[in-house]
Amino acid sequence: MSAFPGIPALLSRAGTASVLTAATVTASMLIPTLATDAQAATPGTKALQIAASKEGSPYQYGATGPNRFDCSGLTLYAFKKAGKALPRTAASQYNKTRHLSAGSRQPGDLVFFHSGSNVYHVGIYAGKNQIWHSPKPGKSVRLEKIWTNSVWYGRVK
């Protein structure tokens, strides 16, 4: 049985589907609020899709991909592949983004976890209060619910 029960039915109704179509259907199921076609072309939504494609890649301190990542290494890698340059650390990435309110956040924006004024973690907002991130040693890239209110949001310019 498929992990995504609707996919076989969708594909059989469509006849012979291309690999690209199957990938798009799967991506829209992995990314909770996949944007419209116009928004899908933004660097943020491209970076979101790239980060999601790295699901299961192990955490490694200081790693920037393509197979291992730390938190800011994943965001740096995803945005670089989407055509945008970011600095190396989470704090430097925060300083490089346009800061947003929680109400203005969109899929593809960065989510910065902080303690006081110290930014210590970053992920890519996926919608529905979830992020793609590389959490910590012993864990791997995953989609996870935002677990605290001590977050700031930023959009890559």
Side-chain angles (χ1 to χ4, degrees):
M1 176 172 232
S2 172
F4 302 106
I7 290 177
L10 286 171
L11 295 179
S12 66
R13 277 185 289 207
T16 305
S18 70
V19 173
L20 181 58
T21 301
T24 302
V25 169
T26 303
S28 67
M29 296 176 92
L30 288 173
I31 302 169
T33 56
L34 190 63
T36 65
D37 288 342
Q39 292 173 318
T42 69
T45 44
K46 288 179 187 175
L48 175 59
Q49 292 170 348
I50 292 161
S53 77
K54 293 302 180 177
E55 181 177 23
S57 297
Y59 178 96
Q60 181 179 330
Y61 180 78
T64 58
N67 300 314
R68 294 177 179 274
F69 302 91
D70 67 7
C71 68
S72 58
L74 177 64
T75 55
L76 179 137
Y77 176 87
F79 275 92
K80 182 177 182 181
K81 290 287 186 183
K84 291 290 185 177
L86 283 176
R88 176 65 187 94
T89 67
S92 295
Q93 290 177 5
Y94 177 72
N95 290 332
K96 180 82 173 179
T97 61
R98 182 167 58 91
H99 303 161
L100 309 166
S101 67
S104 299
R105 68 188 179 182
Q106 296 176 355
D109 289 334
L110 293 177
V111 181
F112 297 94
F113 294 75
H114 66 93
S115 176
S117 62
N118 178 42
V119 172
Y120 64 88
H121 187 65
V122 62
I124 301 178
Y125 188 64
K128 298 186 180 176
N129 208 40
Q130 295 181 314
I131 59 166
W132 280 101
H133 70 136
S134 186
K136 61 185 177 181
K139 302 294 181 186
S140 57
V141 173
R142 67 176 77 199
L143 179 67
E144 194 164 11
K145 183 178 184 274
I146 297 172
W147 58 89
T148 179
N149 289 327
S150 295
V151 294
W152 294 322
Y153 299 93
R155 186 162 299 147
V156 176
K157 305 172 201 174

